[in-house]
Amino acid sequence: MWNIIQSLWSSLALFLSALFFHGMILRSIRENKPNWFINNHQHHIIRYFIGMYYGVLGLYFIWRGLPGEDFGIYTDMLINIILMLNVFSGTGPATIATSIIIIGKLLLGYNPHMQLIYVFFLLSYHFICIQVNTLKISLVRKFILSKLSITPFMLYYLHFKMAIPLQVYAIPKWLFIFTISFICSLILYLAARFIDTSNKQIFELRQSSILDPLTNLANYRHFDTCLRDEYKESTLKQTPLSVIIFDIDFFKNINDTYGHQTGNIILSHLSIALKKVLFHENALIARIGGEEFAVLLPDTSRDGATFYAEQLRKQIEKTDFPFKDEEIRLTVSVGAATMDHLHHFESGEALLKAADAALYTAKENGRNRVYTANLIVPLKE
């Protein structure tokens, strides 16, 4: 029995280390690349790497469980990998990890017949966990239900693996093993939930400090910080930096006619329309005032900024903003400015002021048009 506790304890410690290392990596990514958790493609890549990460951990447990290496109770940790990934990461990562573990069992196993039976149970358990995960119940209930569903497999496998008889007199031994196994899984579940919850809370707290609550775009404070950083980066690397500023034409009339609540709804819908403009991935869209917005475009030329500004204007002009039984149409005036080898600015703030001056030129010349700083002819006559 002491061998069982010793093996479980060492494998549990390793699993916990893997969990915390995984949590630290995800926290770092959330802090430095928050868009990776918003962009579906990049988020899927992260999740698949998680599956591979725990699949490799499973290979290590398989190797340690081989005869002559350790007592073999590492088998329990393979089940926990499938359980934890299904509960916290979803079907994709769990399927990847399960596939890697199955390949490892078939290649490293010493008893082909026993390994095939084991693979069958692994696949069955994975599919059970998938089904449990679709139930509309709490995480802890999903964990308990998934854990209990492995009982028939443990009775069958451990009976042969550890030569525990299926007799009445062996009940205390079985209860001991099941209790230890459940406690280990519970510790892993609590650790995984703590890491997952704390990381999400830190991320949400950070997001709330940099996002405008109405539009869910960057707020002025975050925009200003990024502008300063990008200005330094652009100056150091001698790359272009562009800024676009725009505001809604005659927005005061909308507030006066329909009320401020309607105005807020329109601003919220406007942010959705902005996300349909295909800015490059490093662009930052922000709400910097009441109905005033800005776009920071690192490594973007004057022509590129002008192109994006016109695409933005056209997108908003063709968007219907629903209000009760009618559709409200909006137009925007847009100003842009670029720092490059021909146009230098003393600071990011000076670049922003140049774009703001171009915006007011657009407004004075009829609105619903784009002006670029130092560009005399407007794009839309």
Side-chain angles (χ1 to χ4, degrees):
M1 284 298 180
W2 178 248
N3 286 336
I4 296 176
I5 296 175
Q6 209 170 25
S7 294
L8 273 173
W9 180 254
S10 59
S11 58
L12 176 64
L14 180 60
F15 204 139
L16 286 171
S17 299
L19 275 175
F20 279 102
F21 184 64
H22 159 212
M24 289 169 59
I25 293 175
L26 285 189
R27 180 175 298 184
S28 177
I29 294 174
R30 277 193 171 102
E31 290 176 353
N32 297 294
K33 300 288 184 180
N35 288 336
W36 287 15
F37 289 84
I38 300 172
N39 183 290
N40 285 334
H41 176 68
Q42 291 167 329
H43 193 199
H44 283 317
I45 291 176
I46 292 173
R47 293 173 69 246
Y48 294 152
F49 269 105
I50 290 173
M52 294 170 63
Y53 171 76
Y54 283 101
V56 172
L57 179 65
L59 292 180
Y60 176 79
F61 285 141
I62 292 171
W63 174 71
R64 287 302 302 268
L66 293 175
E69 295 295 336
D70 213 307
F71 193 73
I73 200 65
Y74 285 89
T75 292
D76 199 55
M77 292 300 140
L78 301 180
I79 302 302
N80 282 318
I81 288 175
I82 297 173
L83 170 59
M84 297 304 157
L85 284 180
N86 270 293
V87 171
F88 291 101
S89 299
T91 302
T95 300
I96 292 174
T98 302
S99 301
I100 294 174
I101 290 171
I102 286 174
I103 293 172
K105 288 297 290 183
L106 293 174
L107 295 179
L108 298 176
Y110 61 93
N111 185 334
H113 175 70
M114 202 65 182
Q115 300 314 315
L116 286 174
I117 295 175
Y118 191 91
V119 165
F120 171 77
F121 276 110
L122 277 182
L123 281 173
S124 300
Y125 184 60
H126 175 51
F127 286 124
I128 289 172
C129 288
I130 291 174
Q131 295 306 312
V132 171
N133 211 32
T134 62
L135 300 177
K136 295 181 179 180
I137 55 177
S138 64
L139 277 182
V140 66
R141 290 184 178 180
K142 289 180 181 179
F143 159 72
I144 293 174
L145 191 56
S146 297
K147 182 63 181 176
L148 292 178
S149 67
I150 200 63
T151 302
F153 166 67
M154 292 183 68
L155 286 170
Y156 176 86
Y157 187 76
L158 295 181
H159 170 62
F160 292 99
K161 182 77 174 179
M162 300 175 63
I164 303 176
L166 295 172
Q167 302 291 335
V168 175
Y169 70 86
I171 288 179
K173 191 172 185 178
W174 280 110
L175 288 176
F176 175 79
I177 292 174
F178 277 105
T179 301
I180 294 297
S181 174
F182 184 83
I183 290 174
C184 287
S185 296
L186 180 62
I187 292 172
L188 290 171
Y189 166 80
L190 293 174
R193 184 165 185 176
F194 172 78
I195 294 170
D196 184 63
T197 303
S198 60
N199 278 357
K200 287 178 179 177
Q201 286 177 343
I202 291 172
F203 177 70
E204 289 170 0
L205 182 62
R206 184 176 182 273
Q207 289 297 97
S208 67
S209 68
I210 66 175
L211 294 182
D212 171 62
L214 179 61
T215 62
N216 209 35
L217 300 174
N219 57 26
Y220 176 77
R221 180 179 179 182
H222 182 55
F223 178 85
D224 184 57
T225 300
C226 291
L227 177 60
R228 293 172 188 270
D229 292 342
E230 292 296 342
Y231 177 84
K232 292 178 183 177
E233 188 80 6
S234 177
T235 303
L236 181 64
K237 294 184 176 180
Q238 295 297 302
T239 54
L241 175 65
S242 296
V243 171
I244 294 172
I245 294 183
F246 66 96
D247 69 8
I248 302 172
D249 295 328
F250 305 111
F251 189 69
K252 183 177 183 300
N253 292 343
I254 294 175
N255 282 332
D256 292 343
T257 304
Y258 300 102
H260 288 277
Q261 186 63 33
T262 301
N264 288 341
I265 294 173
I266 288 176
L267 290 175
S268 179
H269 282 284
L270 178 66
S271 67
I272 298 173
L274 289 174
K275 292 174 182 177
K276 294 180 180 179
V277 181
L278 299 178
F279 296 109
H280 62 68
E281 62 177 1
N282 293 324
L284 176 69
I285 309 173
R287 182 189 179 199
I288 60 174
E291 70 272 17
E292 194 170 49
F293 297 79
V295 184
L296 180 62
L297 296 163
D299 200 17
T300 302
S301 67
R302 179 177 296 271
D303 289 342
T306 303
F307 170 78
Y308 284 129
E310 183 63 13
Q311 293 302 307
L312 181 155
R313 185 194 67 78
K314 289 180 179 178
Q315 178 64 47
I316 295 174
E317 186 179 36
K318 70 181 183 182
T319 299
D320 292 324
F321 294 86
F323 173 69
K324 295 183 178 178
D325 296 328
E326 60 179 299
E327 301 287 344
I328 298 175
R329 286 295 187 96
L330 302 178
T331 61
V332 293
S333 300
V334 189
T338 299
M339 182 177 75
D340 53 24
H341 65 286
L342 295 177
H343 305 85
H344 179 70
F345 294 87
E346 295 298 325
S347 63
E349 183 180 1
L351 177 63
L352 186 65
K353 286 182 178 178
D356 195 46
L359 165 63
Y360 278 96
T361 302
K363 293 167 77 74
E364 290 171 357
N365 285 272
R367 303 177 188 265
N368 188 25
R369 61 192 62 226
V370 173
Y371 265 83
T372 302
N374 299 326
L375 185 65
I376 299 175
V377 182
L379 292 176
K380 183 176 184 295
E381 296 293 349

